[in-house]
Amino acid sequence: MATQTMAPPPTTQTSLKTQLRRAERRRKLNAFLLVAPLALFLLVIFVFPIGSMLWRSVDNSELSQALPQTAQLLSAWDGQQPPSEAFYASLAQELKSALANGNIGSLGRRLTYEDPTLRTLVTQTIRKLPDTPETTWQQTFSTLNPRWAELSTWQALKKAAPTTTDRYLLASLDLERNAQGEITAVAPEKQVYIDVFLRTLAIAGAVTLICLIMGFPLAYLLATLPTGTSNLLMIFVLLPFWTSLLVRTAAWIVLLQSGGMVNTSLMGLGFISQPLELVFNRVGVLIAMVHILLPFMVLPLYSVMKGISPHYQRAAISLGAHPFKAFWQVYAPQTLAGVGAGTILVFIMALGYYITPALLGGPSDQMVSYYVAYYTNTTNNWGMAAALGSLLLIITLVLYMLYQRLVNQQTPNRR
Amino acid sequence: MQSHPADPLVRFTGVQKTYDGEHLVVRDLNLSIGRGEFVTLLGPSGSGKTTCLMMLAGFEVPTQGDIYLGTQRLNTLPPYQRNIGMVFQNYALFPHMTVEENLLYPLKTRKMPKDQAKAKVERILDMIQLTKYAKRRPQQLSGGQQQRVALARALVFEPQLVLMDEPLGALDKQLREHMQMEIRHLHEQLGLTVVFVTHDQDEALTMSNRVAVFNDGVIQQIDSPQNLYEYPANAFVAQFIGENNTLPAKVISRDQTIYRLEFGQNQVSGAYNADTLATQEAVLFSIRPERVRIGKMAQTLPNQFSTVVQELVYLGDHVRLRCEFAGNTNFNIKVPVSELTTPIQPQDHIMMGWHDQDARALKQLPQ
C-alpha cells in the first residue's frame, strides 16, 4: 500500500504535471485579473500621458500636417538654390486646403518660433491669394509680398518642415542650432532655463535638508515614546494633511507678511525693530515647502526607526561605547533606509512644486513647474512645456537611479 | 548556606528600586556573588530579576542602596565604563556589521591596536567555531550561531563579569539544551563570573552554582540547585522549583527536625523542617510527586494513606497519577513504569506512602 502511493506509475506522473500546470495557469490568470484594473488605470492615466508628453517635446508635425507636399519638397531642398515653381505651386494649393481644414492656426504658431513675422506673412498671403496664378505662382507670391522671393523665408520654412525637432529640448538647456545646424549656446541675455533648473534643484535640496534636520529628531522621539503619547504626536504630524495645500499656502502669507503675526509678535517682544522680509522671497518658499513636506520625511523615518530595537544601543553601550557614539555607530546606520526613502520622496515632490513658489516666492524663486505652466496656459507652446517637463523627469529618474545604487551598496548581501 | 562567598566580586547592599514611586520592584536586596561563580536569578516575570540585572549593567539606577563591583561603587558609574559583558535576549547583534565587525566593536571602543584586536577576534571565532562565517552578517546565521556570536561579543574584551538576560529564550528546546551545556563549559574553562537571568527552572538548575529565586522583588531563597530542590525555604520556592503537592496543615508535635502535621480529616504525617515551628502553627504540608510510593512499595513506609485515582497519564519513563487526597483534587504521583506491577485504572483505590524526611513542613507565605 505504502510503496504504491509513494511511486505512482509514469502515466499518473505526466498527468500530475499537466494538472500542476493547469492549476498554475489558473493562479496566474487570477493574479493577472486581480491587477488588471490597476494596470489599465495606470496605462490610461500614467503611461499614456507621460508618453505623449515626452513625444510632444520633440514633436514638429505642424507644418508637415498642414502642408504635406510642401514639407516633402522642403526636406529634399538643399536650402541654397532658389526654390523652383513647384514649391510655390504646392504651397498655394496646400495653403488653401489648410485654411479649409483649420490647420492654419497651429502652423502660424509654429512659424512664429522661427520668425515672429512669418505668421503675418502667411495669413496675409492666404487672404490675397488668387485661385489661379497670373503667370507663374512664383510671380504671384513675389507680387503679394517680396519676402516670398527671399531665400531666408524658405529656409525658415525648411527648419519647421521635419516631423521631429530637438529645438525645444535644446532651448530648455539654453542651446539652439545656428544657421549651419550646429548646436550653440543662446545669447547670454536669453539664457534662463539652466538657471531655473539649478534653482529648482537648489530649492528642492534645501527643503530636503531642512526636512531631514527637523524630521530626524522628531521621528526618533515618536519612535521612542510610549505608544499613547507617540500616537497623539503623530496626529499633530499628520495635521497639515487635513487642510488643502492652497489654504495652507495662503495662511503662510497671512502669517509671514510684513504686518503679519510673526513680524508683529517679534516686534512686540522687542527682538526686531524692522519687520523681517519673510514672504515673497526664498525664505517664504522654504518655510512653506518644509511645512508641507515634513510629514513625508517623518513617516518613512518613523516606520524604519520603530523597527529598530532599543537593545542595539544598549548593547553598544554595554560594549563600552559612549551613548553618543552608540547612537551614531549603531543606531543611525540602521536608519539609512528611512533617511534614503524620506529624502528621495521629499526631494522628488519638491522638484515639482508650483503653487507654493508661485504664491510665496518672488520672481527669482520660480521653479521649472512655473515655466511648464506658463507655456501650457499662457503661450500654448506645448513643445517647450513638454521639453521642460521631460528634462525634469529625466533629472528625477537619474537621481532615483543614483539613490537605488547607493541603497544597494549599503546592503550588499542581505537575504 | 553559602549566601556570602569569601571573595565577592559583586555586592548588592540594601538595594531598592521603584519605577513609579509607589511600588517597589526590588526591595532590600542583599546579594553577594563570588569570583568565578555562576549565579542565576530565577523568578516569574515581574519578580524583579531583570531589574536587578539592569541595575548591575547600569541601565537602571537603584533608588536606594549600593552596588559594588570588586571595590568600586557602581551606582554613579555610567554603563559604558563598567566593563561588564552583556548578552541580550534577542542577541542585539548589529545588523549592519559583519560577525567580525560585531566582535571588533568592543575592542575598537577600547582603542585596542588593530592587529591585536584582529588576533583576539580570530581566537574567539575559533573558540565558537564560526571562523568561516566571519564575513557574514548576523541575519545570515542560524539562531544558535547568532547566540554564539552574541556570547563571543560579550566575552571578547575579557570583562570581569558577564550578564545574560534570558539569552536562550528564542531557541528551540534541543538547541537550548545544547547551548546550556556550551555556556556551562565556557564558564568552567574560562573561569567566568556569570549572572544569568531566566524564568526557566530547568535552565537554572542545569547551569548554576547558585540560584536566587525571586518573587515580589525579594529573594526567596539563594542556594545550590540541589538544596533549592530538596530543601525549599518556603512554599513559593517549593512550588516554583519542580512540582509539588501541598496541603494546608497544622503542627501537632516535634521530634528534632521532624514535625508531625495534621491535615484533611485527622490524617497525620511526619515532615521535615530544620527551623523552629510553633505547635498549632498553620503550615503547608508538601511532598514531591516522585517521593510518593504506591502499592507494595508503600507498605513498609511510616506514612500510609488510601487514595482514589482520578486520571492516569502515560509519559514513557513514568506514569502520572492524579489523585484526590485530603481535599486536594490535584495530588500528583509519579510512578516509574518499571515499578508499576499491577495495572491501575481511574477510580481505583490505591495505597500510597512516604518517608518523613521526604515530606516538608513549609511556612505559609505571608498574604
Side-chain angles (χ1 to χ4, degrees):
Chain A
M1 274 292 281
T3 47
Q4 266 179 2
T5 45
M6 297 245 315
T11 46
T12 327
Q13 206 165 24
T14 48
S15 85
L16 215 61
K17 267 185 182 165
T18 340
Q19 275 174 15
L20 176 70
R21 227 178 3 243
R22 202 169 294 154
E24 290 289 296
R25 194 186 307 145
R26 171 162 290 181
R27 223 180 42 180
K28 273 180 197 158
L29 186 72
N30 274 347
F32 174 75
L33 286 175
L34 284 172
V35 297
L38 180 63
L40 196 72
F41 180 77
L42 282 181
L43 188 76
V44 172
I45 75 130
F46 197 73
V47 178
F48 179 70
I50 286 190
S52 90
M53 185 203 78
L54 287 173
W55 169 247
R56 270 180 189 278
S57 64
V58 294
D59 183 24
N60 196 34
S61 57
E62 292 94 340
L63 191 140
S64 53
Q65 220 160 42
L67 319 165
Q69 185 74 40
T70 318
Q72 267 180 17
L73 288 169
L74 283 167
S75 300
W77 179 49
D78 66 354
Q80 302 305 320
Q81 303 289 323
S84 65
E85 171 65 11
F87 282 67
Y88 291 95
S90 143
L91 184 63
Q93 203 163 31
E94 289 187 333
L95 277 178
K96 279 178 208 150
S97 57
L99 186 65
N101 296 339
N103 281 336
I104 288 297
S106 62
L107 173 69
R109 199 162 52 236
R110 173 65 185 85
L111 291 176
T112 326
Y113 306 150
E114 300 299 339
D115 182 344
T117 58
L118 271 180
R119 180 187 217 154
T120 331
L121 175 66
V122 169
T123 42
Q124 278 176 356
T125 308
I126 290 176
R127 219 179 303 139
K128 295 178 189 161
L129 203 63
D131 288 338
T132 47
E134 290 158 30
T135 49
T136 59
W137 278 115
Q138 188 168 8
Q139 186 62 42
T140 315
F141 270 88
S142 308
T143 329
L144 280 174
N145 194 323
R147 284 193 61 194
W148 284 115
E150 290 168 21
L151 210 53
S152 65
T153 309
W154 289 93
Q155 277 169 348
L157 285 180
K158 181 178 165 61
K159 270 190 173 176
T163 49
T164 58
T165 177
D166 55 5
R167 60 169 292 121
Y168 303 119
L169 286 171
L170 288 176
S172 302
L173 293 168
D174 290 339
L175 299 170
E176 64 181 358
R177 283 188 187 276
N178 61 12
Q180 283 76 46
E182 292 157 345
I183 297 173
T184 53
V186 300
E189 70 273 10
K190 282 185 178 172
Q191 291 182 1
V192 266
Y193 298 116
I194 294 280
D195 265 5
V196 169
F197 273 110
L198 289 180
R199 178 193 305 158
T200 305
L201 291 175
I203 291 179
V207 167
T208 309
L209 191 69
I210 299 172
C211 278
L212 182 62
I213 291 170
M214 290 172 59
F216 195 92
L218 177 58
Y220 181 68
L221 181 73
L222 287 173
T224 44
L225 277 179
T227 320
T229 328
S230 80
N231 281 347
L232 184 72
L233 286 182
M234 186 53 90
I235 292 176
F236 286 113
V237 171
L238 297 178
L239 211 58
F241 287 132
W242 295 5
T243 37
S244 89
L245 184 83
L246 208 58
V247 173
R248 274 180 283 162
T249 309
W252 276 115
I253 302 180
V254 175
L255 284 174
L256 296 175
Q257 63 194 343
S258 58
M261 213 179 331
V262 174
N263 270 319
T264 42
S265 307
L266 285 176
M267 277 161 74
L269 291 168
F271 288 121
I272 49 170
S273 53
Q274 290 279 315
L276 297 172
E277 284 189 28
L278 296 173
V279 79
F280 310 122
N281 57 15
R282 192 64 60 88
V283 179
V285 174
L286 291 182
I287 290 176
M289 281 179 72
V290 166
H291 171 238
I292 293 161
L293 290 170
L294 193 59
F296 295 100
M297 180 64 83
V298 173
L299 291 176
L301 276 175
Y302 170 76
S303 74
V304 167
M305 286 176 174
K306 197 78 190 159
I308 302 175
S309 155
H311 284 303
Y312 291 121
Q313 258 170 291
R314 282 195 164 185
I317 291 170
S318 84
L319 294 171
H322 188 274
F324 187 73
K325 251 188 164 179
F327 183 85
W328 278 112
Q329 292 176 341
V330 170
Y331 191 85
Q334 294 189 57
T335 63
L336 272 186
V339 171
T343 305
I344 201 88
L345 192 64
V346 168
F347 188 78
I348 288 176
M349 289 183 79
L351 275 184
Y353 256 58
Y354 163 57
I355 295 229
T356 309
L359 292 181
L360 288 172
S364 62
D365 302 313
Q366 300 310 323
M367 296 164 72
V368 173
S369 310
Y370 172 85
Y371 292 90
V372 174
Y374 168 78
Y375 279 119
T376 6
N377 298 335
T378 314
T379 67
N380 259 350
N381 186 348
W382 286 66
M384 266 320 276
L388 288 169
S390 301
L391 278 180
L392 198 59
L393 182 67
I394 290 165
I395 292 173
T396 311
L397 287 177
V398 167
L399 287 171
Y400 185 71
M401 263 148 57
L402 281 177
Y403 160 77
Q404 279 293 329
R405 181 164 294 182
L406 220 74
V407 167
N408 286 341
Q409 266 174 4
Q410 282 297 327
T411 53
N413 42 11
R414 186 159 284 185
R415 274 202 298 200
Chain B
M1 297 219 216
Q2 342 146 345
S3 56
H4 291 287
D7 179 20
L9 177 66
V10 178
R11 274 188 304 135
F12 287 79
T13 55
V15 169
Q16 295 209 341
K17 175 69 185 177
T18 171
Y19 287 110
D20 55 5
E22 282 175 34
H23 305 283
L24 286 173
V25 185
V26 173
R27 45 181 104 187
D28 194 31
L29 178 77
N30 291 290
L31 171 66
S32 295
I33 295 164
R35 226 170 274 276
E37 230 189 337
F38 195 123
V39 172
T40 297
L41 312 183
L42 176 69
S45 57
S47 60
K49 58 188 193 307
T50 303
T51 305
C52 280
L53 195 77
M54 288 303 165
M55 287 193 286
L56 194 49
F59 297 121
E60 298 291 350
V61 182
T63 24
Q64 204 182 312
D66 296 311
I67 303 173
Y68 291 92
L69 181 66
T71 54
Q72 192 171 29
R73 186 168 172 270
L74 283 185
N75 293 43
T76 50
L77 194 69
Y80 55 92
Q81 288 174 3
R82 293 194 180 191
N83 206 28
I84 293 176
M86 182 149 181
V87 182
F88 288 81
Q89 205 165 356
N90 302 311
Y91 319 137
L93 295 172
F94 308 139
H96 59 295
M97 297 184 191
T98 63
V99 168
E100 194 177 31
E101 287 165 342
N102 264 285
L103 295 177
L104 276 172
Y105 191 81
L107 305 178
K108 259 190 212 159
T109 60
R110 284 171 176 74
K111 305 205 163 39
M112 183 181 278
K114 258 202 176 143
D115 44 342
Q116 205 178 329
K118 279 247 175 197
K120 245 180 186 316
V121 167
E122 261 168 47
R123 221 174 312 138
I124 202 143
L125 272 173
D126 188 46
M127 193 178 83
I128 58 169
Q129 295 164 9
L130 288 177
T131 308
K132 59 180 175 181
Y133 296 99
K135 302 288 180 208
R136 298 242 188 131
R137 286 184 190 247
Q139 58 270 32
Q140 293 171 306
L141 304 181
S142 71
Q145 290 167 335
Q146 290 187 27
Q147 171 62 60
R148 295 223 286 277
V149 175
L151 203 59
R153 192 177 64 176
L155 297 178
V156 70
F157 58 100
E158 289 166 16
Q160 36 185 341
L161 177 66
V162 182
L163 310 181
M164 303 192 190
D165 183 14
E166 308 212 15
L168 306 179
L171 303 179
D172 61 53
K173 189 168 177 288
Q174 228 170 355
L175 196 54
R176 190 160 64 226
E177 283 167 5
H178 175 76
M179 285 306 297
Q180 284 171 9
M181 293 315 287
E182 212 163 293
I183 292 175
R184 201 183 134 139
H185 293 155
L186 269 179
H187 165 244
E188 284 163 6
Q189 278 166 28
L190 304 177
L192 302 170
T193 310
V194 180
V195 180
F196 191 98
V197 163
T198 184
H199 62 263
D200 182 336
Q201 44 146 322
D202 287 337
E203 208 162 277
L205 297 182
T206 308
M207 307 172 76
S208 325
N209 298 124
R210 285 193 300 153
V211 179
V213 180
F214 273 74
N215 189 39
D216 212 12
V218 178
I219 295 184
Q220 304 289 328
Q221 187 175 1
I222 174 159
D223 219 324
S224 68
Q226 189 182 352
N227 282 344
L228 217 54
Y229 192 86
E230 298 294 344
Y231 304 103
N234 59 36
F236 176 81
V237 178
Q239 295 281 21
F240 196 74
I241 308 281
E243 246 186 295
N244 234 321
N245 297 307
T246 55
L247 300 167
K250 201 167 67 183
V251 177
I252 304 174
S253 65
R254 171 184 189 182
D255 177 13
Q256 292 183 337
T257 56
I258 301 297
Y259 290 84
R260 302 221 66 77
L261 305 184
E262 185 193 290
F263 46 77
Q265 283 151 340
N266 304 322
Q267 287 159 307
V268 174
S269 167
Y272 170 92
N273 192 327
D275 294 339
T276 309
L277 297 171
T279 312
Q280 293 301 316
E281 188 177 339
V283 292
L284 276 180
F285 169 83
S286 148
I287 184 143
R288 300 230 180 247
E290 70 272 17
R291 296 292 186 181
V292 182
R293 318 304 293 269
I294 61 161
K296 280 205 190 95
M297 313 286 287
Q299 281 170 10
T300 55
L301 296 174
N303 308 299
Q304 288 185 28
F305 304 93
S306 162
T307 186
V308 182
V309 176
Q310 302 287 325
E311 207 176 356
L312 188 140
V313 184
Y314 176 80
L315 285 158
D317 59 337
H318 70 269
V319 171
R320 191 185 173 84
L321 305 177
R322 186 172 65 79
C323 301
E324 188 175 345
F325 178 59
N328 184 346
T329 54
N330 219 357
F331 195 93
N332 292 304
I333 307 173
K334 275 188 189 174
V335 187
V337 172
S338 53
E339 286 180 19
L340 203 67
T341 42
T342 48
I344 295 175
Q345 300 291 323
Q347 305 310 323
D348 281 359
H349 285 256
I350 56 164
M351 282 303 289
M352 62 174 181
W354 52 79
H355 289 290
D356 289 344
Q357 298 92 317
D358 288 342
R360 302 281 170 263
L362 298 173
K363 283 199 185 237
Q364 295 262 27
L365 283 180
Q367 289 303 311

